[in-house]
């Protein structure tokens, strides 16, 4: 029997057969996340029902020296949940309880498999919502959001997952259950929760998450502005920010992205637009009213040829439909595509878009641009046809060149999709050896054996080494402190 | 040539004298200092404005104070991108960022960026803007072994690599020296107004709920509760002229209070005389803290309050407030106290996850040379 067979038998005995998947055909359904060109069939899949089962699974892995990978809904776009062929994939899809909604504390406590949107649904009757809203919010899990520090269109104003999670119960890579943070703010000690959020499953598995709920805004107003070009839409964005307005969201799509969205969802954006902006303001009605007038004036002053103001929630939803379906929509105009995720300083937007245009023309590869314009987070969609020899490679080159541009302009290789498996190789372009080694110190503190989601984030496997122990006179040993 | 000079009598940390003081003017100089400190096995405490050096426990050992007074200035202010990069010794007060602001209130005058980040202090406007951890987007540190490391970057949105800035925020100088911090900025609001209401402690819970029920998005919801007598609630709104007028009027109505643009003298200041505590509780438990017979002040809208414990009764007051906070799911930390009080109270109180925290410390500072003993669990 292989190590995995022994492990499977143990977990079957401890947790019950229904928690274990090791049928080859069934295992295959877990072979990739949202980044489907990396595929590995997991050695074993475990579906724990609660934190205790999750901890037992991790302990069993540790004792067997087998790597484990957490998976939520598998919508990640960097191969973060890519399984290990000789490892265990721990899937949180059976941990979907909303444990508590506590509007008086402005908190909700949920299991990690809970779908992002379901938190908002549970909170809305109380006048609250969960602010981080990735476009995948109808399917992605809170555990995945925590691991990726996911953002969304509205993080320009409201911040990312890390700003909205106050506590997590975590199974550490030794199989211990620990509480990081809590329901109250500012837990004393190191901000291990802050370090855990965004760690992509490499520091342990979140088994329960306490999130901050945000009061619903009194008023939401949404504007769709059509511009002749992305330059003008970019200038309008800059003007809005310069005027001291902080919109809830400013999203931009270029002509090719609009074409795709029209083909897919018939969102009815103004014809002939070189770029559209969706600008949303929310907050107290009197504030929103005053600033909305300012925003429309700034769009007009920067060349908008058509402005539409959402008259009702249905029209607002239509504006957003085009944007939120943009990734999938390019499937209508191209058989294959790469979703890139990079960040630039927002003011560099027009220049970087021109450079992307040049790269695109030089390689004969089309690029559709969709992005969170307010914070400079680009999502270029690089289009290709895998059936045509050489196209995939050219698309890969263009996609890589865009990341180079992000670095050149002082930005980041990822704004929200994470490093995962896909971008580990770019990490040395953004960080020095010492930077990476310092991050690795944290990894070693949590996971000296390197069993939690190995092969992600870090470009080259690193070993942890022993901590040199030094005892000093007068220094309490841990035993004295308890 | 030695990179430090002899310490003077004034160079002490919570009563412990240092032998040397270094004041590097750049990250590179700081790295050189810290490499020499490794060579000579010196125990190090970092000093910014010195406004909170008496917080935490006294260091178990101290040789070298690394002072950030020459590590000052704005490295970069990209107004169009709403970001700033500041050297750690830069005073928080008086930052000139044109029409923009680093929305981090400092409760003590004279605090530096590095000190505020290392102790994770916050003030009234955390209600709207969050705290240092939320505003920080990048950090440069020198590790205890003298190596320079960066995390994050200069863009607001960035998930590349671990968020080490958060690990260093609130680490009390136990993991290394912070030399530069990058922050996101906010536009300076045009207009603001404060609505005040004074009421008996027993009514504060209902008033806070009324503020939450209004969708007025306050920038701060503060209370000031003297040891005895009624409590003052102060709600700040910021924005445009028309917006603020409307929001303040609504608050006046639900609170039965008065709008003003004068801030009370206690606004954003700690309430203590000698023994200062920080109390954190879930929001619904804020009123529990108001009947303890001690002066309480702070952010009722986020559940972060500060208490003034009388020196004579400090042990019992600490115990009582801690019991209340912990029962509610929060914490009570004694930030500062005279030495005799420190000797008899548990400054930090119960801390979950200490094993992991010690492992982090051991990795970053295996020799335990950085602020040894100052932090939770004797870290
Ligand atoms: C159409 C589409 C649109 C998207 N839009 C956005 C967007 O707007 N913003 C954005 O930020 N992202 C977006 N994403 C990316 C993705 O949805 C997010 O990264 C999401 O948070 C992943 O959640 P998941 O549950 O699918 O996680 P998975 O893909 O299952 O896992 C992601 C990572 O999290 C780890 N993980 C999962 N659960 C846990 C746990 N409980 N504890 C520890 N680690 C765990 C995994 O190991 C993996 O590393 C989009 C994806 C798609 C397909």
């Amino acid at each position: 029997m292989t190590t995995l067979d022994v492990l499977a038998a143990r977990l079957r005995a401890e947790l019950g057969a229904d928690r274990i998947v090791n049928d080859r055909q069934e295992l295959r359904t877990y072979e990739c996340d949202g980044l489907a060109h990396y595929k590995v069939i997991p050695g074993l899949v475990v579906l724990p029902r609660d934190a205790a089962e999750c901890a037992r699974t991790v302990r069993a892995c540790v004792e067997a020296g087998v790597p484990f990978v957490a998976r939520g809904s598998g919508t990640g776009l960097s191969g973060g949940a890519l399984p290990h062929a000789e490892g265990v994939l721990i899937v949180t899809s059976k941990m979907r309880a909303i444990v508590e909604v506590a509007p008086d504390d402005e908190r909700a406590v949920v299991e990690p498999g809970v779908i992002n949107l379901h938190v908002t649904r549970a909170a809305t009757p109380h006048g609250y919502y969960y602010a981080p809203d990735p476009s995948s919010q109808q399917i992605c899990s809170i555990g995945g959001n925590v691991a990726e520090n996911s953002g969304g269109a509205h993080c320009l104003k409201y911040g990312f997952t890390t700003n909205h999670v106050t506590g997590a119960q975590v199974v550490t890579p030794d199989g211990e259950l620990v509480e990081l943070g809590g329901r109250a703010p500012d837990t004393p000690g190191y901000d291990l929760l802050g370090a855990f959020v965004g760690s992509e499953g490499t520091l342990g598995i979140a088994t329960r998450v306490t999130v901050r709920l945000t009061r619903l805004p009194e008023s939401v107003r949404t504007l769709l502005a059509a511009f002749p070009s992305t330059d003008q839409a970019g200038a309008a964005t800059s003007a809005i920010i310069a005027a001291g307005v902080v919109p809830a969201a400013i999203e931009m799509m270029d002509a090719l992205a609009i074409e795709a969205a029209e083909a897919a969802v018939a969102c009815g954006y103004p014809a002939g637009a070189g770029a559209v902006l969706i600008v949303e303001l929310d907050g107290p009605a009197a504030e929103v009213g005053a600033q909305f007038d300012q925003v429309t004036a700034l769009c007009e002053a920067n060349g908008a040829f058509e402005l539409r103001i959402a008259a009702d929630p249905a029209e607002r939803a239509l504006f957003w439909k085009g944007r939120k379906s943009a990734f999938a929509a390019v499937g209508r105009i191209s058989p294959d595509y790469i979703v890139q995720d990079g960040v630039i300083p927002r003011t560099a937007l027009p220049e970087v878009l021109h450079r992307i245009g040049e790269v695109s023309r030089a390689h004969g590869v089309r690029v559709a641009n969709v992005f969170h314009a307010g914070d400079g987070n680009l999502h270029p969609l690089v289009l290709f046809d895998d059936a045509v020899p050489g196209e995939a490679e050219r698309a890969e080159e263009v996609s890589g060149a865009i990341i180079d541009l992000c670095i050149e302009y002082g930005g980041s290789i990822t704004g929200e999709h994470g490093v995962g498996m896909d971008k580990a190789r770019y990490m040395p372009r953004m960080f020095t050896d010492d930077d990476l080694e310092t991050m690795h110190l944290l990894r070693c503190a949590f996971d000296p054996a390197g069993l939690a989601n190995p092969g992600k984030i870090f470009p080259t496997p690193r070993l942890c080494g022993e901590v040199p122990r030094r005892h000093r006179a007068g220094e309490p040993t841990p035993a004295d402190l308890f | 040539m030695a990179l430090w000079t002899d310490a003077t009598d004034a160079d002490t940390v919570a009563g412990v004298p240092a032998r040397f003081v270094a004041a590097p003017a750049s990250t590179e100089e700081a790295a050189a200092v810290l490499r020499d400190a490794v060579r000579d096995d010196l125990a190090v405490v970092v000093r910014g404005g010195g406004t909170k050096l008496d917080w935490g426990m006294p260091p178990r050992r101290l040789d070298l104070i690394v002072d950030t007074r020459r590590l000052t200035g704005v490295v970069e202010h990209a107004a169009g991108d709403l970001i700033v990069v500041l050297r750690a010794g830069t005073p928080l007060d008086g930052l000139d960022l044109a029409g923009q602001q680093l929305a981090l209130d400092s409760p003590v005058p004279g605090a530096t960026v590095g000190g505020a980040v290392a102790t994770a202090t916050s003030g009234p406007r955390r209600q709207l803007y969050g705290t240092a951890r939320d505003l920080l987007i990048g950090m440069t540190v020198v590790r205890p072994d003298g190596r320079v490391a960066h995390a994050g970057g200069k863009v607001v949105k960035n998930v590349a690599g671990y968020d080490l800035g958060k690990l260093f925020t609130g680490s009390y100088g136990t993991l290394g020296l912070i030399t530069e911090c990058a922050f996101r900025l906010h536009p300076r609001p045009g207009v603001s107004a404060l609505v005040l209401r004074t009421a008996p402690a027993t009514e504060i819970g209902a008033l806070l709920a009324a503020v939450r029920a209004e969708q007025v998005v306050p920038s701060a919801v503060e209370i000031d509760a003297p040891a005895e007598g009624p409590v003052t609630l102060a709600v700040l709104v910021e924005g445009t002229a028309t917006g603020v007028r409307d929001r303040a009027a609504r608050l006046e109505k639900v609170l039965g209070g008065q709008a003003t643009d004068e801030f009370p003298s206690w606004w954003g200041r700690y309430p203590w005389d000698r023994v200062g505590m920080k109390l954190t509780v879930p929001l619904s438990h804020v009123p529990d803290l108001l009947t303890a017979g001690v002066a309480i002040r702070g952010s009722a809208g986020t559940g972060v309050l500060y208490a003034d414990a009388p020196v004579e009764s400090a042990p019992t007051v600490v115990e009582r407030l801690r019991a209340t906070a912990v029962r509610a799911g929060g914490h009570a930390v004694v930030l500062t106290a005279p030495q005799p009080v420190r000797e008899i109270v548990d400054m930090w109180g119960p801390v979950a996850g200490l094993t992991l925290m010690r492992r982090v410390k051991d990795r970053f500072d295996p020799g335990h040379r950085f602020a040894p003993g100052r932090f939770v669990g004797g870290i």
Side-chain angles (χ1 to χ4, degrees):
Chain A
M1 286 218 291
T2 67
T3 313
L4 265 185
D5 292 336
V6 177
L7 187 62
R10 171 176 170 181
L11 289 170
R12 199 174 291 115
E14 281 189 23
L15 309 179
D18 58 341
R19 313 294 202 260
I20 313 296
V21 176
N22 64 352
D23 169 73
R24 193 80 185 156
Q25 213 40 47
E26 246 183 286
L27 287 174
R28 195 179 282 280
T29 57
Y30 297 98
E31 68 186 355
C32 65
D33 62 5
L35 191 62
H37 61 270
Y38 293 108
K39 287 187 172 66
V40 174
I41 298 174
L44 186 71
V45 168
V46 179
L47 300 155
R49 296 296 199 273
D50 58 27
E53 289 191 4
C54 192
R56 292 175 84 158
T57 309
V58 170
R59 267 198 302 276
C61 290
V62 172
E63 282 162 27
V66 164
F68 60 91
V69 178
R71 176 181 166 113
S73 301
T75 68
L77 291 173
S78 54
L82 187 73
H84 211 277
E86 269 90 49
V88 175
L89 189 71
I90 302 176
V91 183
T92 62
S93 58
K94 302 281 187 224
M95 295 174 70
R96 290 211 166 146
I98 295 181
V99 180
E100 191 185 351
V101 177
D104 291 347
D105 288 336
E106 301 189 336
R107 296 289 185 272
V109 182
V110 303
E111 288 191 328
V114 167
I115 302 304
N116 172 300
L117 190 61
H118 295 180
V119 183
T120 284
R121 283 209 188 122
T124 313
H126 306 280
Y128 283 85
Y129 74 113
Y130 177 60
D133 62 335
S135 303
S136 51
Q137 72 180 146
Q138 307 204 3
I139 38 171
C140 65
S141 72
I142 292 292
N145 293 173
V146 166
E148 300 288 1
N149 186 18
S150 298
H154 293 82
C155 61
L156 172 62
K157 179 170 176 182
Y158 291 100
F160 319 96
T161 301
T162 189
N163 309 111
H164 297 270
V165 169
T166 67
Q169 181 194 55
V170 167
V171 180
T172 67
D174 322 304
E176 299 293 326
L177 275 172
V178 299
E179 296 288 340
L180 310 179
R183 188 188 279 237
D186 295 15
T187 306
Y190 295 131
D191 185 0
L192 297 183
L193 178 69
F196 185 86
V197 175
S199 64
E200 304 191 21
T202 62
L203 301 181
I205 302 182
T207 47
R208 200 195 295 139
V209 183
T210 305
V211 302
R212 198 153 69 82
L213 299 176
T214 304
R215 191 78 175 89
L216 286 167
E218 181 181 39
S219 163
V220 181
R221 296 191 69 185
T222 314
L223 171 76
L224 182 76
F227 294 84
S229 72
T230 52
D231 278 359
Q232 282 145 308
T237 306
S238 287
I240 292 167
I241 302 280
V245 178
V246 183
I250 310 185
E251 301 282 305
M252 199 194 295
M253 291 168 72
D254 73 0
L256 196 52
I258 298 168
E259 182 191 325
E262 288 300 344
V265 296
C267 46
Y269 288 175
V276 293
L277 281 186
I278 299 174
V279 187
E280 191 157 280
L281 299 181
D282 69 9
E287 292 293 349
V288 171
Q291 296 200 327
F292 200 74
D293 295 342
Q294 214 179 344
V295 167
T296 43
L298 289 167
C299 285
E300 273 168 348
N302 284 283
F305 65 83
E306 188 171 336
L307 295 178
R308 291 188 197 160
I309 297 163
D312 50 37
E315 194 172 7
R316 174 186 177 223
L318 195 63
F319 289 180
W320 277 109
K321 193 172 176 190
R323 166 61 188 90
K324 292 216 171 184
S325 61
F327 293 177
V330 294
R332 294 300 184 99
I333 59 166
S334 175
D336 301 285
Y337 59 95
I338 300 169
V339 179
Q340 189 47 283
D341 165 45
V343 188
I344 53 166
R346 201 186 37 73
T347 47
L349 206 92
E351 211 175 311
V352 171
L353 283 182
H354 280 285
R355 299 275 303 272
I356 292 176
E358 282 164 20
V359 173
S360 151
R361 281 188 297 278
H363 287 76
V365 171
R366 293 187 300 164
V367 178
N369 285 293
V370 181
F371 40 83
H372 309 296
D375 45 30
N377 186 190
L378 311 175
H379 287 312
L381 301 158
V382 183
L383 313 186
F384 66 101
D385 182 352
D386 209 15
V388 179
E391 272 210 12
E393 290 72 24
R394 283 212 302 283
E396 227 6 279
E397 272 170 39
V398 168
S399 181
I402 292 172
I403 285 305
D404 287 336
L405 282 173
C406 292
I407 296 168
E408 182 186 329
Y409 282 82
S412 172
I413 60 172
T414 169
E416 54 183 21
H417 295 169
V419 177
M421 152 92 219
D422 193 40
K423 286 191 170 159
R425 67 205 144 112
Y426 296 131
M427 287 289 276
R429 295 206 219 155
M430 193 167 154
F431 295 108
T432 67
D433 255 1
D434 281 351
D435 298 346
L436 293 173
E437 201 256 346
T438 306
M439 289 179 195
H440 203 249
L441 293 176
L442 181 69
R443 160 94 162 154
C444 292
F446 275 77
D447 184 19
L451 294 178
N453 212 2
K456 314 293 165 68
I457 302 182
F458 294 98
T460 40
R462 288 164 194 257
L463 294 177
C464 286
E466 286 294 304
V467 177
R469 290 257 163 230
R470 250 162 120 181
H471 286 289
R472 278 181 197 290
E475 183 163 340
T477 62
D480 297 334
L481 295 161
F482 288 107
Chain B
M1 198 191 78
L3 298 175
W4 43 72
T5 56
D6 287 336
T8 68
D9 290 347
D11 297 313
T12 63
V13 176
V16 180
R19 295 157 62 203
F20 312 111
V21 176
S26 65
T27 299
E28 294 67 37
E29 281 183 34
V33 168
L34 294 188
R35 281 195 301 270
D36 281 10
V38 179
R39 179 198 63 200
D40 295 357
D41 189 28
L42 302 185
V44 177
V45 166
V46 179
R47 179 172 72 194
T51 57
K52 298 175 285 283
L53 263 194
D54 60 328
W55 286 20
M57 296 296 283
R60 263 195 305 272
R61 191 163 88 86
L62 174 61
D63 302 301
L64 172 67
I65 289 176
V66 177
D67 190 299
T68 61
R69 66 174 173 261
R70 295 175 63 221
L71 209 56
T72 56
V74 176
V75 180
E76 183 182 353
H77 173 208
D81 296 316
L82 285 162
I83 65 112
V84 71
V85 183
L86 298 168
R87 292 196 186 88
T90 312
L92 265 180
D93 305 323
L95 269 182
D96 180 12
L97 299 167
Q100 302 182 339
Q101 58 166 338
L102 170 55
L104 187 61
D105 296 322
S106 172
V108 276
T112 60
V113 168
V117 170
T119 50
T121 53
S122 62
R125 292 180 309 156
R126 64 175 292 154
Q127 172 81 31
L128 183 67
Y129 299 104
T131 61
R133 80 191 285 282
D134 302 299
L135 298 167
L136 189 83
I137 56 172
M139 189 183 270
T140 303
V141 300
V142 184
R143 286 172 16 182
D145 64 3
R147 286 209 253 173
V148 176
H150 315 82
K154 294 195 300 185
V155 281
V156 169
K157 206 166 176 187
N158 177 10
V159 295
Y162 294 146
D163 197 347
L164 294 181
K166 289 202 173 50
L167 189 66
F168 273 76
T169 302
S171 66
Y172 278 69
T174 59
L175 297 176
L177 165 69
I178 300 168
T179 62
E180 279 181 19
C181 294
F183 295 98
R184 73 174 289 189
L185 299 175
H186 287 86
R188 222 173 245 296
V191 183
S192 64
L194 203 58
V195 179
L196 299 176
R197 165 74 199 272
T198 301
T202 47
E203 289 175 22
I204 294 299
L207 290 171
L208 288 171
V211 172
R212 275 204 297 277
E214 284 297 311
Q215 292 158 304
V216 293
V217 194
S219 296
V221 179
E222 290 283 299
I223 48 170
D224 179 47
E228 282 165 46
V231 179
T232 300
L233 176 62
V235 183
L236 175 70
V237 284
E238 301 176 311
T240 62
T242 33
V244 165
R245 204 179 313 117
D246 179 80
R247 292 152 73 198
R250 283 162 61 185
L251 284 168
E252 282 183 310
K253 201 162 147 225
V254 297
L255 291 178
Q258 274 295 303
T260 167
D261 45 21
E262 293 248 329
F263 286 81
S265 59
W266 54 264
W267 182 266
R269 293 286 170 247
Y270 291 132
W272 61 75
D273 182 24
R274 304 189 63 205
V275 183
M277 292 183 73
K278 176 174 178 175
L279 311 171
T280 54
V281 288
L283 290 188
S284 61
H285 289 279
V286 167
D288 304 358
L289 299 169
L290 304 181
T291 47
V294 294
I296 303 270
R297 184 184 292 161
S299 174
T302 62
V304 179
L305 297 138
Y306 302 92
D308 174 31
V311 173
E312 322 74 58
S313 55
T316 29
V317 168
V318 169
E319 200 178 317
R320 199 166 67 232
L321 287 173
R322 186 165 282 155
T324 307
V326 170
R327 206 178 319 117
H331 297 273
V333 171
V334 182
L335 292 173
T336 182
Q339 190 53 34
V341 174
R342 283 168 198 267
E343 280 162 15
I344 47 176
V345 302
D346 171 6
M347 298 282 278
W348 291 100
V351 176
L354 262 183
T355 308
L356 269 180
M357 290 180 195
R358 291 211 175 86
R359 278 157 57 170
V360 169
K361 170 71 173 180
D362 287 346
R363 290 286 168 182
F364 279 79
D365 181 18
H368 293 196
R369 290 184 304 105
F370 264 64
R374 303 262 286 152
F375 201 42
V376 296
I379 286 174

